[in-house]
Amino acid sequence: MLHFPDPAKLKTRKIVFEDVFPAIDCGTLEQLKELSSKRRLIEEAVNATSMVTEAVAREMSGGLASRTEQDLQKLKHYLPLLENFVSHVEMHGSNNKMTLWVSNLRIQWSSVLAAAPPFSGLLGPKFFQVDNIRFELGLMLFLYAALLRDRAYEVVTSDLVQSTTLFREAAGVYHYLSHDVIPSLQSQTSGQKPPEASSSVTAAMSLMCLAEAQAVTVRKAEERKATASLLVKLHSGVGVFVSEAIHSLRSEGTEVKDFSGRFLEYLSSLKELHELKSKKYLAQDLKSSERISVAIEVLRQALVDAGKHIPGDESWRLILKEEMDEVAEVLRKYENENEIVWHQRISSWDELPAPVGSKMLNNVSYSPTRCEAPLVFKL
């Protein structure tokens, strides 16, 4: 499978909640300290500043060997505390002191989906500061979904069902972000925000995850020797999801130049790969119904189309090239068979059938959990 790990490469700057928010009682102070402590573990993970050895990290996580699983666990411990904090902050959202305290947190995150500014390789990542507590919630949830994606890739070679579920769970988190978290953030704040804090982008990420989930599903269908007609629908359905994701990216008037080139190239490469696969199976289905001349022209056109969009990333290029080589070999066999056995006239391109995709999967709904603890500040 093509792999795009960039969404999990977010970085953030340190926050100490108890240094900014004056607690009125010991219980509130302890909650703020725990919030800072849980966040510090995530800061160290994403910024790669942790001094903890692999063995100690495994022991601290209860035996989790995967670094991705360890980081997911840290987020699962932090998010309920953060949800509770957000609810208490928003209870007093119009209070001037509360507004000032949130501003003094200096919530800052980098972006992995924004176009890189000039000399970014020398200066390091650009950080965006948004003085709204939902910015912290939104970017933490974005990171959580990105890590679910990474975990889905980790298990794809050993457990296709679990991998599909993890992609669908990631899609559910992004969907929740797009519909329940970011709209209020966008309405309450102005100024520059990273793409990760946009409803259209998180909606696109949700669709991308569903495309990836369907890519895993079709892999399982191939292992089970599903019919060519079903494989056409599944592979083409991946392309449908990706097309909808690309459309979502442009729905808020954002220009292509505002996004990371790798992000856009990944989406187009994912679409091209599965459209090529769908046409390979469409040709197989046509041949089985004795329409080999049409099958030949479908394969010829598929190779021409795929050759127009060769990705720059070496690993993606190799995967697409391998599939193109396989399609070219199938084409060679069909041409030889037609020349010797069928003698059918090759169809023109405007007469060719096109694959029809089916979207077979939905996201797994995300339901946030909240640590119900009272927080009282000196307002």
Side-chain angles (χ1 to χ4, degrees):
M1 287 182 63
L2 302 182
H3 184 24
F4 177 57
D6 296 22
K9 295 179 180 179
L10 289 168
K11 296 190 181 300
T12 187
R13 292 206 165 121
K14 185 178 180 179
I15 290 177
V16 182
F17 292 93
E18 66 271 20
D19 285 355
V20 176
F21 282 76
I24 208 166
D25 57 43
C26 293
T28 299
L29 180 59
E30 287 305 310
Q31 282 289 311
L32 292 175
K33 286 183 176 179
E34 187 176 3
L35 196 61
S36 299
S37 174
K38 300 297 186 190
R39 192 185 198 276
R40 192 171 302 116
L41 294 175
I42 298 167
E43 292 165 2
E44 291 174 350
V46 299
N47 297 332
T49 57
S50 176
M51 304 298 289
V52 176
T53 65
E54 286 187 18
V56 172
R58 184 181 305 170
E59 186 176 344
M60 288 172 62
S61 66
L64 297 175
S66 162
R67 181 67 177 270
T68 306
E69 281 189 295
Q70 292 170 10
D71 292 345
L72 282 168
Q73 185 186 73
K74 293 167 189 172
L75 278 157
K76 288 175 183 177
H77 290 163
Y78 176 66
L79 283 168
L81 298 174
L82 180 60
E83 290 277 3
N84 185 56
F85 181 72
V86 169
S87 69
H88 281 81
V89 167
E90 292 186 337
M91 253 192 272
H92 307 284
S94 59
N95 184 283
N96 290 336
K97 286 185 179 179
M98 186 63 75
T99 302
L100 177 63
W101 294 338
V102 171
S103 176
N104 288 343
L105 284 176
R106 296 181 58 81
I107 304 167
Q108 297 181 63
W109 285 86
S110 68
S111 173
V112 291
L113 300 183
F119 310 112
S120 59
L122 299 173
L123 302 175
K126 174 183 176 181
F127 282 84
F128 295 82
Q129 179 174 326
V130 179
D131 297 332
N132 187 298
I133 195 60
R134 282 194 169 250
F135 182 55
E136 170 73 356
L137 178 61
L139 270 290
M140 281 292 178
L141 284 169
F142 189 100
L143 177 62
Y144 180 60
L147 289 170
L148 285 171
R149 279 186 72 245
D150 279 4
R151 183 59 184 158
Y153 277 108
E154 285 181 357
V155 303
V156 72
T157 55
S158 59
D159 193 332
L160 293 174
V161 173
Q162 185 188 6
S163 179
T164 301
T165 301
L166 286 164
F167 277 123
R168 292 175 61 222
E169 287 177 356
V173 177
Y174 283 126
H175 180 84
Y176 172 77
L177 254 178
S178 178
H179 290 80
D180 294 89
V181 177
I182 290 178
S184 62
L185 171 63
Q186 289 181 307
S187 64
Q188 294 169 17
T189 58
S190 58
Q192 193 177 28
K193 291 185 284 291
E196 290 84 351
S198 158
S199 290
S200 62
V201 172
T202 46
M205 291 295 294
S206 179
L207 290 163
M208 183 183 80
C209 289
L210 289 175
E212 292 163 332
Q214 184 145 324
V216 177
T217 299
V218 71
R219 185 167 166 175
K220 190 170 186 65
E222 286 171 335
E223 288 183 357
R224 291 180 172 178
K225 307 297 183 185
T227 63
S229 59
L230 175 59
L231 295 175
V232 169
K233 291 178 181 178
L234 287 171
H235 276 298
S236 188
V238 174
V240 174
F241 274 126
V242 175
S243 294
E244 291 180 1
I246 294 170
H247 177 75
S248 179
L249 289 177
R250 295 168 176 160
S251 64
E252 290 181 4
T254 311
E255 296 184 32
V256 169
K257 65 181 178 62
D258 296 324
F259 294 110
S260 152
R262 269 180 58 80
F263 178 39
L264 297 172
E265 183 177 69
Y266 172 71
L267 289 173
S268 63
S269 298
L270 183 63
K271 185 172 184 286
E272 288 297 329
L273 175 65
H274 287 277
E275 285 185 346
L276 179 59
K277 287 175 177 284
S278 71
K279 289 174 181 176
K280 177 180 69 177
Y281 287 112
L282 175 60
Q284 182 179 319
D285 197 38
L286 289 165
K287 179 178 177 292
S288 67
S289 59
E290 300 185 358
R291 298 172 66 193
I292 194 168
S293 63
V294 182
I296 288 170
E297 208 54 46
V298 164
L299 293 176
R300 287 176 179 174
Q301 184 182 15
L303 287 171
V304 169
D305 291 342
K308 295 176 182 176
H309 305 283
I310 302 299
D313 183 282
E314 184 179 1
S315 63
W316 304 344
R317 186 167 62 249
L318 289 173
I319 291 171
L320 184 61
K321 178 69 165 54
E322 183 179 345
E323 185 64 28
M324 289 177 70
D325 289 345
E326 184 176 328
V327 170
E329 178 59 22
V330 173
L331 173 60
R332 185 189 65 78
K333 290 179 180 178
Y334 284 13
E335 286 174 334
N336 287 343
E337 186 173 338
N338 185 51
E339 186 176 337
I340 296 170
V341 179
W342 298 100
H343 309 294
Q344 291 183 8
R345 181 183 65 85
I346 303 301
S347 305
S348 62
W349 281 19
D350 56 4
E351 299 172 357
L352 295 180
V356 178
S358 295
K359 299 186 296 180
M360 301 292 192
L361 300 175
N362 296 314
N363 64 57
V364 175
S365 296
Y366 174 74
S367 298
T369 57
R370 196 170 89 194
C371 172
E372 299 286 351
L375 299 175
V376 187
F377 307 110
K378 294 178 183 177
L379 291 167

